[in-house]
Amino acid sequence: MCDDYHERLYWIRRVEQMREEMEKAEELKKRTRPATPAKPAVPETAVEESEPVPA
């Protein structure tokens, strides 16, 4: 019974440690990723002209 308890405790701690490592890795990835600039707004004044379809 005692062995089960200690093994359970080990795995709970191990999973928590792995979760923290993954969070740190994600945070590091976010910091190192260059920020992509937003695309400039394109004015919609240009109207598409459809080509006439030959009959």
Side-chain angles (χ1 to χ4, degrees), residues 7-42:
E7 187 173 348
R8 246 181 158 179
L9 202 57
Y10 166 78
W11 284 111
I12 289 171
R13 289 179 180 153
R14 181 68 181 121
V15 168
E16 185 66 24
Q17 181 183 12
M18 289 169 51
R19 186 183 63 80
E20 290 175 3
E21 289 172 359
M22 288 176 66
E23 287 177 356
K24 286 179 184 177
E26 277 187 37
E27 185 65 31
L28 184 62
K29 202 183 294 184
K30 286 180 184 178
R31 288 183 192 168
T32 57
R33 189 180 322 157
T36 55
K39 292 184 178 180
V42 178

